[in-house]
């Protein structure tokens, strides 16, 4: 007779720790979002971004960036 483990195991795999940003990287994100917020409708149209999307991006905190920026 084989011994079978029938207990439920509730384990979670932890997400990898995010790499910390340097102060200069955070400052660059802040500057970029600030500049984006100042663009007029014509310039936003040039880069293919709507005013609503630009405003939403500009309101994000400086540490909220895509994972690809962390590499």
């Amino acid at each position: 007779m084989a011994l079978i483990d029938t207990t439920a195991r509730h384990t979670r795999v932890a997400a990898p720790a995010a790499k910390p940003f340097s102060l200069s990287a955070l400052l660059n994100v802040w500057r970029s979002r600030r500049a984006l917020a100042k663009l007029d409708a014509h310039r936003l149209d040039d880069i293919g971004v709507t005013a609503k999307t630009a405003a939403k991006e500009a309101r994000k905190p400086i540490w909220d960036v895509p994972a690809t920026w962390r590499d």
Side-chain angles (χ1 to χ4, degrees):
M1 181 170 170
L3 184 59
I4 300 173
D5 185 9
T6 59
T7 59
R9 295 181 192 256
H10 300 287
T11 59
R12 291 182 178 226
V13 177
K19 290 167 81 175
F21 278 110
S22 66
L23 184 57
S24 64
L26 291 173
L27 187 58
N28 287 335
V29 170
W30 177 75
R31 285 181 181 150
S32 296
R33 289 187 174 154
R34 191 168 142 205
L36 181 65
K38 292 179 179 182
L39 293 178
D40 62 3
H42 177 68
R43 297 201 188 267
L44 288 172
D45 189 45
D46 283 347
I47 63 172
V49 177
T50 65
K52 184 177 180 179
T53 304
K56 183 178 177 182
E57 183 67 27
R59 283 192 306 265
K60 288 183 180 180
I62 57 176
W63 58 84
D64 186 9
V65 296
T68 55
W69 291 16
R70 298 179 188 266
D71 294 338

